Amino acid sequence: MLRALKEWGELFERPIYDKVKADKVIVLEFELDNVGNATLKDISLEEFSEDKLNKYLYRRAKSSNPPTYSPTLHLSKNEEKSLTENIRTSLDNLTTANNRLKNVPQISIDLESVAERIRGMIEGTEKSTSYLLTIRFNGKYIGEMPEYIKAVGDFIKKKSYKKNGICSICGEEKKVSKDLPFKFLTYDKPGYIVGGFREDVAYKNSPICFDCYEKIRIARQNLESATFKLASTEYMLIPETLKKENLQKLKELFEYLRENNLNLNNLDKVYLYDLLEGLVREEDKNLLSSILDNLQEISGERGLDILSIFRMFKDIIIAHFLFIKRELGREAIELYISDVFPSRIYYLFKVKEFIEELEIVKNFDYGIVKKFFKEEGFYQMVEATFWGKRVENAFLCDGLMNVIRESFKEWDKRVNYMLIRKALAVYLFVRITTEGLSMQQSQNPQSLEEFFVWVKNLPSIGSEDWKYGLVLMGFLTEYLLEEQRRERGSKPFLKKLKSLKMDWGDIVHLLPELRQKLEEYEVFDRWSVRMLFGEISYALLQSTKPKASVGELNFYFVSGMGLYGIYRGLMFNRKQTNEEVEE
C-alpha cells in the first residue's frame, strides 16, 4: 500500500504545506527594514480561501507544542481557558514556530496587547467559527517567500530525520525517521516497537526517508479529496499499476471525477470514454458507451460509485481499499483490503445482477448488507466478498436473524416480507461471492411445481434437502398464518414459532402441528396445500439432523415466509390438465 501511495504521489508536485480548513484568517502584518528587522504594524481579519493554501504555508507538526512546523496555526479552542488565554497560547506557539526556523525574519510581539486586539476583533462571533493565525511581511505571505519554504523543509529534516538507515519504501540508504503520514503506529506501549520504550530505536519499525514521506503525504492528500463511500462508510481507493502511463490516465480520471463532485450521472460521456479507452478490457470496449449510459452501482451511494467504472478496467490495474477510523487525533485501520483486481469487482456486479433477476429485491447493494451487519460485522462482510474469503454460515445467519427477530413482535399485524427478502439477498450474495457457487438462472415460477424447481436452484439452499424443506415449511406456515388472520383477525400459531428460536426438535414437532391447524381451518385438502405439505415431508424425512445453529435453522424457515410475500398467488394458481378440473 505504501509503495502504491509513493508511486501515486510521484505524479504530483510536492509542496511542503498541508491542506487546512478554516472560516477566517487572522493576519499579523509585519514590516521589514533594510537589515531584516521585523516590526508589527497591523492585524487584519480576512476570509479563508483554499486558493491561498500555498500562501498560508500551513504544515502540521507531529507534536502539539507547537502544533505546526510553520508560523501558521489554528487558533486554540481549549474550553477550560478564556478566549484571551487561548489567543495568547496561539500567539506564543506562532512565535516559537517562527523563531526556531533558520534564515527567516525573527519576530517579537507583546503577547498581552496583541491578544487583546485580536479578542476585540473576534469576540461575539459564533463559537463554531474557526480561525487560522498567520503572518505577512511587507504584504507577502510566508508561502510567497522562498526562504520560508526552504526553512520549513530543512527544519523537518533536521528534527525528524537523524538516523541512518535503509528506507523501507525506496530501499535506499538515507537519513530516515519513524514517522508515516498516518497515525497508525503506536510508540507508547511495550511490544509495539523495537526495543520497547526506547525512542532512539523506534525508527526501525518503519524507517522512511524524507522524500518517500513527502510523496506518500501528497498522495494521501490527493486521494482523500476523492474519498468514496461504501454504504455511507468512507474508504480510500489506492490504485496501482506497473505502467506509469496507466497511472497517469487514472490520475486524469480521478481529477475529472473530483471536478464533477464525484457524481457519475453528470459526466460528459464522450470525454469519459476517451479517459477510459486503453484502461478497459477489449471485450468491454463495444459495450462501454451503453454501460456509461446506464451506470449501475453496488456501493449504496447513488451516483457516487467509482466501482461501477473500476470493474471495467483491465487486470493490469489493482486497487487497495483503506477504511480508516479517526478518533481523538488518532487513526485506526478498520479494514485494509489489498490487491483487488477489476475482474473481482466485475464478478461482484454479476452476482448483484443475478440476485436482482431473481426479483427478491429490486436494487441490491452494500447498503442492504449494512442493514444487518454493523461496525466490525460489516467490515467482515466487505472483506469476505471483496477477497472471496469464506464466512462461517452460523455467523452469517445469526447476524441476519438478529435483525429479523427485532421485527417479530410486530408480525401479529404484518410480517415484514421485505426485510426477510433483503436478508435472503444478503445471504445469497455472501454465499455466492465467498464460495464461488454456480448461479443457475430459473425463470420466475408460474406454478407450485415451478416454485419447487426455483427454490432448488437457489445457490447453497436447494442443494440440501433440509434447507429446501425448511424454506417450503416457512412458506406453508405463512399461508396458515394469513388464513388465521383472515378468519380471526389474529395469528395464534405465531406462538409455535418460539420467537424464531426453534431448534431441530421444535421444527420436527411443528410439522404435524402445522397439518393439524391446516385441517382445522379446512384448507388441508386444497390441492396446493397437499402438494406443498407432501414436498416438505419428503424433503425433511430424507434429512438427518443437520449440524446447524438455531440461527441457521430459523433463517431458512423464515426465508420461506418472506418468499410467500412474492409467490402467495401460486397457492391459488393451479395449472389445469385434461384430466383435472380446477377446484
Side-chain angles (χ1 to χ4, degrees):
M1 179 190 80
L2 294 177
R3 285 189 176 89
L5 281 168
K6 169 183 171 281
E7 290 170 2
W8 187 258
E10 287 174 346
L11 302 177
F12 302 87
E13 293 183 5
R14 290 182 289 281
I16 199 70
Y17 63 85
D18 283 325
K19 291 187 177 180
V20 64
K21 289 185 178 180
D23 297 310
K24 305 281 187 180
V25 181
I26 301 168
V27 183
L28 303 185
E29 304 272 359
F30 287 89
E31 184 178 277
L32 288 177
D33 60 22
N34 294 332
V35 293
N37 295 317
T39 304
L40 181 64
K41 289 296 183 181
D42 195 13
I43 303 173
S44 61
L45 185 64
E46 61 184 41
E47 294 293 322
F48 172 83
S49 172
E50 287 193 0
D51 293 335
K52 293 182 177 179
L53 286 175
N54 61 323
K55 297 181 179 181
Y56 299 144
L57 195 62
Y58 172 86
R59 179 61 186 255
R60 191 182 306 108
K62 290 294 179 181
S63 62
S64 58
N65 189 26
T68 56
Y69 289 127
S70 66
T72 297
L73 61 149
H74 277 112
L75 196 64
S76 177
K77 279 191 173 183
N78 189 331
E79 294 182 359
E80 296 180 358
K81 295 182 179 180
S82 67
L83 177 58
T84 301
E85 288 176 313
N86 279 319
I87 296 172
R88 196 161 49 233
T89 298
S90 298
L91 289 171
D92 187 42
N93 284 332
L94 181 145
T95 54
T96 299
N98 183 84
N99 293 341
R100 67 184 180 180
L101 298 177
K102 301 296 183 182
N103 302 316
V104 299
Q106 301 296 288
I107 61 174
S108 177
I109 58 177
D110 185 329
L111 292 181
E112 296 299 330
S113 62
V114 173
E116 277 301 310
R117 287 179 63 184
I118 293 175
R119 183 189 63 78
M121 296 171 66
I122 67 174
E123 193 172 32
T125 57
E126 294 184 13
K127 288 186 177 180
S128 60
T129 302
S130 61
Y131 295 92
L132 200 64
L133 185 63
T134 190
I135 56 180
R136 261 195 317 235
F137 295 93
N138 294 351
K140 282 187 177 182
Y141 291 94
I142 55 176
E144 297 176 293
M145 302 170 69
E147 60 267 37
Y148 265 97
I149 298 171
K150 183 178 186 302
V152 172
D154 289 345
F155 180 79
I156 295 171
K157 290 180 185 179
K158 182 179 178 181
K159 182 175 177 60
S160 301
Y161 297 84
K162 301 176 181 178
K163 304 289 185 179
N164 291 318
I166 305 296
C167 175
S168 59
I169 307 299
C170 66
E172 296 181 15
E173 186 172 357
K174 296 181 179 180
K175 293 288 186 181
V176 294
S177 170
K178 67 180 185 298
D179 295 327
L180 284 174
F182 297 91
K183 298 177 182 178
F184 301 150
L185 300 179
T186 301
Y187 296 108
D188 58 354
K189 295 178 181 174
Y192 276 69
I193 63 174
V194 176
F197 287 113
R198 287 182 57 192
E199 183 74 13
D200 60 321
V201 294
Y203 74 94
K204 293 182 179 180
N205 285 273
S206 57
I208 183 172
C209 70
F210 179 75
D211 289 340
C212 287
Y213 179 94
E214 288 298 292
K215 290 172 184 177
I216 294 173
R217 183 180 67 86
I218 295 302
R220 176 180 182 174
Q221 285 187 11
N222 175 266
L223 291 171
E224 281 188 328
S225 65
T227 299
F228 299 99
K229 293 183 180 181
L230 193 71
S232 300
T233 303
E234 287 190 352
Y235 68 89
M236 188 189 302
L237 190 156
I238 306 167
E240 184 176 5
T241 180
L242 294 177
K243 291 186 177 181
K244 199 153 189 175
E245 56 265 33
N246 290 333
L247 207 59
Q248 181 64 36
K249 289 179 182 178
L250 288 171
K251 171 180 174 286
E252 293 172 7
L253 173 64
F254 274 44
E255 288 177 345
Y256 179 59
L257 295 176
R258 191 181 302 116
E259 289 169 4
N260 287 274
N261 298 317
L262 311 181
N263 193 330
L264 303 183
N265 295 321
N266 295 330
L267 302 178
D268 182 330
K269 300 298 192 296
V270 175
Y271 183 65
L272 184 58
Y273 183 96
D274 291 338
L275 287 177
L276 293 174
E277 195 170 20
L279 296 176
V280 299
R281 295 184 296 268
E282 289 295 325
E283 60 269 26
D284 287 337
K285 281 188 176 180
N286 293 333
L287 301 173
L288 189 56
S289 295
S290 61
I291 290 173
L292 293 178
D293 287 335
N294 185 29
L295 282 172
Q296 298 184 48
E297 64 85 27
I298 200 171
S299 69
E301 304 291 330
R302 297 294 186 267
L304 295 171
D305 193 0
I306 187 62
L307 300 181
S308 60
I309 291 179
F310 180 79
R311 66 185 168 126
M312 296 185 290
F313 292 162
K314 300 175 183 177
D315 277 351
I316 57 173
I317 298 168
I318 62 174
H320 307 273
F321 294 84
L322 183 62
F323 295 78
I324 300 175
K325 183 177 181 181
R326 299 171 180 85
E327 193 173 72
L328 298 176
R330 301 292 302 169
E331 293 178 330
I333 298 177
E334 295 293 294
L335 177 63
Y336 170 56
I337 310 175
S338 66
D339 303 330
V340 179
F341 288 91
S343 56
R344 179 64 190 179
I345 302 300
Y346 182 83
Y347 174 66
L348 297 182
F349 273 86
K350 294 298 291 183
V351 179
K352 160 190 163 67
E353 292 169 12
F354 169 74
I355 290 172
E356 291 171 353
E357 287 169 2
L358 290 174
E359 296 188 1
I360 299 173
V361 294
K362 288 184 178 179
N363 297 300
F364 181 83
D365 56 45
Y366 277 93
I368 296 177
V369 178
K370 196 171 185 180
K371 184 176 184 65
F372 297 92
F373 295 94
K374 312 294 183 184
E375 299 296 332
E376 291 184 12
F378 176 68
Y379 289 122
Q380 283 183 257
M381 293 299 125
V382 173
E383 180 183 25
T385 54
F386 272 49
W387 258 355
K389 183 179 178 181
R390 186 177 175 84
V391 175
E392 285 297 325
N393 202 51
F395 175 78
L396 175 60
C397 291
D398 287 347
L400 298 171
M401 285 305 302
N402 286 339
V403 177
I404 292 174
R405 289 189 186 109
E406 289 177 6
S407 70
F408 184 79
K409 58 186 177 183
E410 305 293 332
W411 285 14
D412 191 52
K413 301 174 184 176
R414 184 182 68 86
V415 174
N416 194 335
Y417 293 132
M418 181 52 69
L419 179 68
I420 298 171
R421 296 205 301 269
K422 286 181 176 179
L424 178 57
V426 172
Y427 174 86
L428 292 173
F429 183 74
V430 174
R431 288 267 70 87
I432 294 169
T433 56
T434 59
E435 297 181 27
L437 300 178
S438 173
M439 295 180 281
Q440 183 177 349
Q441 189 63 59
S442 299
Q443 63 180 11
N444 288 333
Q446 302 300 314
S447 67
L448 272 180
E449 295 91 337
E450 291 179 1
F451 179 66
F452 297 156
V453 175
W454 186 88
V455 174
K456 282 186 175 180
N457 284 336
L458 288 177
S460 180
I461 292 178
S463 58
E464 296 186 68
D465 287 331
W466 67 275
K467 294 180 183 178
Y468 169 69
L470 286 177
V471 171
L472 297 186
M473 191 176 177
F475 189 92
L476 184 57
T477 300
E478 182 57 22
Y479 169 79
L480 169 64
L481 291 169
E482 283 299 294
E483 284 292 316
Q484 287 188 327
R485 183 191 60 78
R486 185 174 61 82
E487 289 196 15
R488 302 181 48 162
S490 62
K491 304 175 185 178
F493 197 74
L494 272 176
K495 295 179 181 178
K496 300 287 186 180
L497 306 188
K498 295 188 174 181
S499 299
L500 300 177
K501 295 180 180 179
M502 299 178 287
D503 60 23
W504 183 251
D506 296 326
I507 288 169
V508 170
H509 287 102
L510 186 67
L511 190 58
E513 292 179 321
L514 179 59
R515 173 169 179 162
Q516 179 184 346
K517 283 299 176 183
L518 290 167
E519 289 175 343
E520 284 182 20
Y521 282 84
E522 298 181 349
V523 294
F524 186 77
D525 287 334
R526 293 179 181 176
W527 64 268
S528 56
V529 175
R530 278 185 172 275
M531 180 187 296
L532 191 51
F533 190 86
E535 190 75 8
I536 296 166
S537 300
Y538 181 75
L540 295 183
L541 284 172
Q542 289 193 112
S543 305
T544 57
K545 181 180 178 181
K547 295 180 180 179
S549 68
V550 168
E552 291 173 88
L553 297 173
N554 286 269
F555 172 73
Y556 300 118
F557 180 89
V558 82
S559 293
M561 298 179 72
L563 291 174
Y564 184 83
I566 306 175
Y567 296 116
R568 71 183 79 191
L570 300 181
M571 298 296 290
F572 315 100
N573 182 25
R574 185 183 188 185
K575 284 189 175 180
Q576 189 170 341
T577 66
N578 292 332
E579 293 80 19
E580 297 175 326
V581 179
E582 190 79 44
E583 289 185 354

